[in-house]
Amino acid sequence: MRRHDKLFIGGEWVAPAGTGTIDVVSPHTEEVVGQVPDGTPQDVDRAVAAARQAFDHGPWPRMTFAERAEVIGRLAAIYNERQGEMAGLITEEMGSPITFSNLAQAPQPLGMLQFYAELGRTFAQEEERPGLFGPLTVRREPVGVVAAVVPWNVPQFVTMTKLAPALLAGCTVVLKPAPETPLDAYLLAEWTAEAGVPAGVLNIVPAGRETGEHLISHAGVDKVAFTGSTAAGRRIAAICGEQLKRVSLELGGKSAAIILDDADLAASMGFLSMASLMNNGQACVAQTRILASRNRYDEVVDAVANMVTSQPVGDPADPATGIGPLVAKRQQERVESYVRIGMDEGAKIVVGGLERPYDRGWYVSPTVFAGVSNDMRIAREEIFGPVLAVIPYDDEADAVRIANDSDYGLAGTVWTADADHGMEVARQVRTGTYGVNCFMLETNAPFGGYKASGIGRELGPEGLNGYLEYKTIARLG
């Protein structure tokens, strides 16, 4: 078992203020695989003070972008050498299939470090512009101390969407990992110290919701970067709004995959399986609403059902596994409650249902519903598990209308034999990321959502802007 009894604050491993602990439980075996301190408000105060000291008086914000990029590059090199270790650890702590962990849980955070290291090598801190009475200097400065609050589903991916640009900007960070997945943050702390990130630039306090709210509302924090549920995002936005504190929110989704009549179903299902079922369905960008025309509805339902049943359910450490367990018992019960809701609403279960695949572990049966209308709860609410709803549409305009008829606007896809026409559809759907015959999150392009899916953008050069303040200096003579 991986046992940690200290917190990473001010570049040192320090004893926590309290005696509480967090058990990390394997979703596959239901056995404790790790333990970390349960951070307290006093620990948060100490971490914010360390980050404040490092920002106000330390070298990190005063280095050039190129100098910080050099350090980030060293961290990327360490990450590259040990990404397999990180992938295996995430699979152990939250049940992500090892194939997905090796494909995304570790490589994508590495790609972010590499991208921002490269961006920083040529990024200009100041820019000269002409003014009415003399030259202007537009200067980019770090926003300050950042509170990064991250979820359990893709813990390193979400951490790095915040940490990598914050580091390049010159910010200092207090990271609060989710109680379900704190172990990967401890490994990251070791690597940042080895890379030469100065003391106090990254501080880590695993904790629950109440301590997290203390961090978010802390007067020493200049910006909050949060990924999680829309309900939590509204609470955080209210706190930051009251304090006029910078905030970025990446929240929920209920994304629609539009399958046009000319789509090659066999080819589409090969890619859609990842887009809709990635990480055991525990992904905010998962394409869980499958939109099919009435002309091919039954054919699409059969294809989606075959796609789901072709994914082996089992031990996430087994490379043959396509779908593993959910992160916690409460998540298992939540997903099963939505299956019941779908049945009560009159939707038809095509595959899956309430029978659990295993007696041990937090597994659910991957489920496909047919006969779904877009006003049903299973079509409107984020389930966060391997449950797909196939919804009929009349024509292409109706498909776009249904796709847009959602409180969310995070992701989406269209599947067609005509990629140019797919682009026309993509331009009509109000989401932050979209795919034509695929779905990808690219490190060099912005990621974020419309509507209740969040505020702000991460990744790409745009992701750096959220950690910068812009100062204009006018001068005469």
Side-chain angles (χ1 to χ4, degrees):
M1 186 174 78
R2 304 169 189 265
R3 181 177 283 109
H4 301 278
D5 60 1
K6 291 182 170 58
L7 302 172
F8 189 67
I9 297 176
E12 299 178 344
W13 295 103
V14 302
T19 59
T21 58
I22 297 171
D23 286 339
V24 182
V25 182
S26 164
H28 172 59
T29 66
E30 301 185 36
E31 297 173 353
V32 176
V33 296
Q35 189 178 79
V36 301
D38 187 359
T40 66
Q42 292 80 11
D43 296 314
V44 164
D45 292 344
R46 185 174 180 181
V48 172
R52 189 82 260 164
Q53 173 69 21
F55 183 79
D56 292 339
H57 305 290
W60 190 249
R62 292 153 190 85
M63 296 166 68
T64 66
F65 280 92
E67 289 170 336
R68 290 192 292 266
E70 183 67 25
V71 179
I72 296 170
R74 291 201 298 268
L75 176 57
I78 297 168
Y79 211 112
N80 183 50
E81 291 176 2
R82 299 178 64 182
Q83 59 177 311
E85 181 181 355
M86 181 64 80
L89 179 57
I90 293 173
T91 288
E92 181 181 14
E93 66 180 344
M94 64 76 55
S96 183
I98 189 63
T99 50
F100 183 76
S101 290
N102 285 326
L103 178 69
Q105 294 276 25
Q108 287 201 316
L110 168 62
M112 291 178 226
L113 286 170
Q114 293 170 330
F115 172 80
Y116 285 108
E118 184 61 30
L119 178 66
R121 292 187 176 101
T122 57
F123 195 82
Q125 182 157 9
E126 296 185 349
E127 171 191 341
E128 294 296 313
R129 300 180 187 177
L132 289 176
F133 302 106
L136 300 174
T137 298
V138 177
R139 179 175 171 82
R140 301 169 177 89
E141 298 179 351
V143 72
V145 174
V146 174
V149 181
V150 303
W152 45 261
N153 61 324
V154 279
Q156 279 292 295
F157 174 89
V158 176
T159 293
M160 212 55 72
T161 62
K162 297 155 181 51
L163 181 62
L167 289 179
L168 180 57
C171 298
T172 60
V173 178
V174 178
L175 171 65
K176 193 201 83 64
E180 296 83 0
T181 54
L183 300 178
D184 59 277
Y186 275 78
L187 189 57
L188 177 63
E190 296 174 8
W191 296 354
T192 56
E194 184 179 342
V197 176
V201 172
L202 174 63
N203 310 272
I204 298 175
V205 181
R209 181 175 299 176
E210 290 184 5
T211 300
E213 185 161 320
H214 181 74
L215 171 62
I216 288 161
S217 59
H218 201 290
V221 168
D222 300 298
K223 173 186 167 68
V224 174
F226 172 78
T227 295
S229 73
T230 297
R234 288 191 173 100
R235 171 64 180 162
I236 291 167
I239 293 171
C240 293
E242 179 67 26
Q243 298 180 350
L244 295 180
K245 183 178 293 184
R246 307 294 185 264
V247 63
S248 56
L249 304 169
E250 194 270 287
L251 308 175
K254 193 67 179 179
S255 302
I258 300 174
I259 301 179
L260 298 183
D261 278 347
D262 66 349
D264 181 331
L265 285 186
S268 298
M269 292 302 123
F271 291 100
L272 187 59
S273 62
M274 175 62 74
S276 60
L277 297 171
M278 69 177 81
N279 204 29
N280 312 331
Q282 298 169 131
C284 54
V285 296
Q287 315 290 294
T288 55
R289 289 187 295 154
I290 313 298
L291 276 52
S293 78
R294 298 187 188 278
N295 297 332
R296 298 186 72 184
Y297 186 78
D298 291 341
E299 186 182 356
V300 171
V301 168
D302 289 343
V304 172
N306 291 333
M307 173 193 78
V308 171
T309 56
S310 70
Q311 298 294 313
V313 178
D315 183 352
D318 184 347
T321 292
I323 299 175
L326 301 183
V327 72
K329 184 173 182 60
R330 71 171 191 284
Q331 191 67 16
Q332 179 190 49
E333 293 172 347
R334 170 186 167 86
V335 172
E336 289 177 343
S337 74
Y338 272 102
V339 174
R340 292 188 187 93
I341 288 168
M343 296 166 63
D344 292 343
E345 289 179 313
K348 175 188 174 184
I349 291 179
V350 182
V351 297
L354 292 172
E355 184 176 349
R356 293 177 178 175
Y358 300 99
D359 294 333
R360 185 181 71 166
W362 296 313
Y363 290 88
V364 299
S365 292
T367 299
V368 176
F369 279 104
V372 180
S373 63
N374 201 51
D375 60 352
M376 292 180 178
R377 287 182 63 188
I378 59 171
R380 303 203 69 82
E381 298 177 13
E382 187 174 41
I383 298 173
F384 229 59
V387 178
L388 307 181
V390 187
I391 303 171
Y393 65 82
D394 295 326
D395 53 26
E396 186 176 298
D398 191 39
V400 171
R401 179 193 65 78
I402 293 171
N404 284 332
D405 181 16
S406 174
D407 294 334
Y408 299 104
L410 188 59
T413 53
V414 62
W415 305 84
T416 174
D418 185 346
D420 289 339
H421 181 65
M423 285 293 294
E424 296 177 11
V425 174
R427 293 185 179 102
Q428 299 176 64
V429 180
R430 289 183 56 77
T431 67
T433 53
Y434 208 81
V436 178
N437 297 325
C438 66
F439 185 77
M440 292 289 293
L441 295 180
E442 302 281 1
T443 58
N444 65 346
F447 168 59
Y450 291 31
K451 299 182 280 187
S453 287
I455 297 172
R457 292 295 182 267
E458 298 178 317
L459 303 180
E462 294 81 2
L464 179 60
N465 286 334
Y467 298 89
L468 296 172
E469 295 282 16
Y470 284 76
K471 175 187 291 183
T472 298
I473 306 172
R475 63 187 186 273
L476 290 176

